Amino acid sequence: MELPLQRFSIYDFCVKAQELSKPQDEADHTDFIKFVLCGIHEGEQAVVDPYLNAIREQELHPLEVTRDFDSFLGFDKDIIVETDMTVSPVSRHADALTKSIHLTLEIANPEDPQKPYHVPFHKIPNLEIGKWEGRNSVRAFFPSLWSPGCDSPILEQEKHAQFYDCGLRPAVDHLDRDIGLSSEWPPTYTDEMFRARTTQGHLAFQTKVLRRSSVRSLGRTLRRSLEAHRVTWAKGMLFMHQVQGVKAATMHVPLWQNTGTELLGFLERNHISPGRMQADQWFVDVALQVKSQTGQSLQWRADSHGRLVAEALRISEEQANQITSLRSSKYSKDTVAHLVALAGCRVEPGVRTEGPFEAKYVSIYSTDKAHTYAKEAGRSAKFMTCEKTLKLKEGEPSQFCYDLHNLFVHASQGHHPSNARLEVRVPLGFAEQVLENFDEDILRRSLLSFSNVEWSLRAYRARAICLLLKAQTESISASRAVYGSLILTAGCVWLANSLHCRPDDKNASRNLMRCIFPHTPRAGADPSSLAYLRGSLAEGEAPDAQEPTLPYHPYGMFFFTDFLTNRRHSPRFSMGGRERLTDGSFEYFFIKPFDEISTYYFRTGVLGRQGVHPSRVMNKAVITPRFYHDEPETLPDLFNTAALGTIGDPIVIDDGSDLEEGDIAEPEGTLDNTLSKIWRQFIVDLLSKSPNQKGAGSPSYLKIALKDRLISTDEVLKSKDLAKYWTDCAWKVAGAKEWEVAFRHLWPPKAHILVGAVQNYGNCSYYLKWKDLLSRMTDADAEEVRKQIRARMDRLMWWPNAQQDRIWCTRVQRHFTLASSGQPQKGPAPQLLVRFRPRWTPAEDE
């Protein structure tokens, strides 16, 4: 049933959020969380309308418009830097160009000379030569190494070695022959790799400084050295010069009288010689920056991109609308602060719509991202992960969300307005004309202005996400592993990461958006409200390949569909009728497949490294595989706990019913059924963790093949003939105290906490499920269950001699007899506690 709508400006929405906000230590924040993240309160659905903040011409909002040169790219057969340069004898792979710069190189097509390839530069093998003035860099590109099947722009190690040994090293010898500094350079590539590798296996490359006089001749000399050594793949080598982050030094009023002077000064300050360059191979990012003179934040309207591009490129509105439509593969929209009406964009015009300035790239954005800019793991902003979120301790807030919230609060309390920017990448020859005398009326009609309320909105959303994730950590751990809870966790992480940067819309994220946002029929959908854009309405796509519905944002902001909250159970989406993530998407977010989440993240009663002194080293381990049966539903229950009923704290079942606060979820199954599963897993885990003989080439002590261990039952541990299953082992007829000690280690009581450097236990599926089960039972019921497990253990012929720090002990101990020889144990062997003296009957072929 659709809820009645309540319209809010951003300011009104923040006021309402403040009304619902409670102190951090309050127990229930549901109303605040659901209003801020779902837009739902008291039976009404909020609609957020940022257009109430539009700049109207009659208001004569004073704007300051300046023009600048933000960055500079140039390609030449020579290096034309006119200053000293820091050169890397061996460059890092991370310094190669691997991301698009929206420029291509024409490469001949030997099969069809009339149709040459237009190859993006970031697809061509390349390496960095060096840097000047800190951030500016020179890279060498090798077009001859590119082919249609070229997968990586990283130069192969063999060719990198050849480049240094046959090119760079001889060139430096020639250039510095009068001074003799080349003697400090590594003799060969191999020698530098030896020197650079640390004892921990990391690489620490060195750099050398070349004087200006040497830099001027470096390109030519390097080319001649490679030719002299017949390095044919270096033929056609190009040098890319890149100047970054210089907009503050080049700002000027966008009038033609100022442009030529500023451009010349821009080149001179960056030590580029205009007389040595070819204008059609050099490109400049020319930008307009719009600032509010009243100190307000400015953001671009999402519906303004067509008219802005038309004015910037001097093309028709029809052409501009075509390349900024959601059907266009040339267009990417960047929503701001979860508000559908606010967005920047990126456009690659292409040859037909590049206009008279031959524009290669247009970027429309705001400067609010500067506060969270940070390059890491292929991203350009701070980010959180589902993996770290699931590892939060009970009641622990997400430190990332907490810090992000504080950043937004501090920004809202100070004077931190964002400016609006429009950048166009054009050939150097057009740098003086582009973005000149830009129509200010178009700017006014394309902007929305805000006080600090924009930062406040982000702060409230960050706080709501933080409180929701904290509520999940406060619930019983088993309910956090429910599918609907995990999808809500992933949704919160995705939402937090898109608060301050462009929302991720890769395939896995699109899959997630289908799970967390409302849907609309594809036919007749309003493109401006769709959750993901490019490709969602792809031209030429077969109708039967399209999803019938698409996720969308009908209420002006990224709002989740409603989710469920119950006492003690993790907040979660109801999965009835809801789409699920593909297996690949699930592992993209959570690292592990769904059926391994509980044992990987939620280990009740098991402390990992946080419970150990940091100087100790823990052994590597793997979670044990699951017990396998073709028809598990036909397996009988092995226990009779009728007096205890079901498990004390039921686990939430996502059956589609919308269970609200106070309702009772169905139990996960009978206690007999649960105990039977744990018992069968116990047998698999004992066998899976049994020790191997010393030496990688030696077999396991246990004869049972790995695949057969997954289907083994307790009949194995009832065998009186140890030779049937063991190549060798050590046994001892145990007394009552020894049986009790081993049992306590294998099946610990409810209050037990596993701490420290222990083997096997924390990676046994049965052990983790056992501890989770006990945590949801009363003390009395937990002890009764242990008695029933002990009764079943007493039917076994043998168990491992389990110790506090390991399940399987192999070290030599007194009173243990080596089964194969009948002599006292003198060497390592798996130790078994037995009921009575066992048999040892080797097979005839042994």
Side-chain angles (χ1 to χ4, degrees), residues 532-545:
Y532 50 80
L533 306 168
R534 190 170 63 188
S536 61
L537 296 172
E539 293 179 344
E541 188 178 4
D544 58 353

Side-chain angles (χ1 to χ4, degrees), residues 85-291:
M85 191 164 74
T86 302
V87 178
S88 305
V90 175
S91 63
R92 303 183 307 158
H93 288 174
D95 293 327
L97 181 71
T98 57
K99 291 189 176 181
S100 176
I101 56 172
H102 314 288
L103 298 173
T104 61
L105 178 67
E106 184 177 298
I107 297 179
N109 182 354
E111 297 181 1
D112 190 349
Q114 302 302 317
K115 295 181 179 180
Y117 297 109
H118 294 275
V119 184
F121 272 96
H122 72 290
K123 299 290 187 181
I124 300 173
N126 68 93
L127 55 78
E128 185 179 82
I129 299 291
K131 295 182 182 293
W132 84 96
E133 296 292 317
R135 296 182 62 186
N136 304 334
S137 63
V138 173
R139 294 185 179 94
F141 285 76
F142 306 98
S144 295
L145 291 177
W146 182 86
S147 64
C150 185
D151 295 325
S152 173
I154 304 299
L155 203 62
E156 296 175 356
Q157 187 172 25
E158 178 185 353
K159 289 182 169 55
H160 200 157
Q162 200 174 8
F163 176 81
Y164 180 78
D165 295 343
C166 301
L168 186 56
R169 186 66 173 84
V172 171
D173 277 339
H174 176 79
L175 293 170
D176 269 356
R177 60 186 181 276
D178 297 332
I179 302 178
L181 293 179
S182 63
S183 62
E184 298 179 7
W185 284 60
T188 67
Y189 172 91
T190 303
D191 297 328
E192 171 59 2
M193 292 297 291
F194 168 71
R195 186 212 60 79
R197 193 171 299 280
T198 67
T199 54
Q200 287 78 32
H202 303 301
L203 292 171
F205 292 122
Q206 62 180 317
T207 59
K208 302 293 184 183
V209 176
L210 279 185
R211 299 168 303 152
R212 175 187 174 187
S213 58
S214 297
V215 171
R216 296 194 65 179
S217 305
L218 177 60
R220 296 190 301 274
T221 308
L222 177 57
R223 191 183 305 277
R224 285 197 295 266
S225 296
L226 291 168
E227 290 173 353
H229 286 83
R230 299 180 181 179
V231 182
T232 56
W233 55 261
K235 185 178 181 180
M237 176 175 60
L238 284 176
F239 297 104
M240 184 185 88
H241 305 67
Q242 186 172 24
V243 178
Q244 302 182 79
V246 293
K247 58 189 175 188
T250 61
M251 285 188 174
H252 57 278
V253 178
L255 299 174
W256 69 269
Q257 299 96 320
N258 304 319
T259 304
T261 302
E262 289 297 333
L263 180 59
L264 184 59
F266 166 71
L267 296 173
E268 289 177 348
R269 283 191 296 273
N270 287 282
H271 307 285
I272 299 292
S273 173
R276 298 177 62 192
M277 63 174 61
Q278 300 176 26
D280 62 338
Q281 295 295 319
W282 295 77
F283 302 86
V284 182
D285 287 352
V286 184
L288 279 186
Q289 177 160 295
V290 188
K291 177 182 178 181

Side-chain angles (χ1 to χ4, degrees), residues 323 325 327-332 346-351 353 534:
I323 61 175
S325 75
R327 293 180 180 273
S328 174
S329 61
K330 302 176 185 298
Y331 173 74
S332 296
R346 289 156 292 130
V347 185
E348 293 189 36
V351 176
T353 52
R534 190 170 63 188

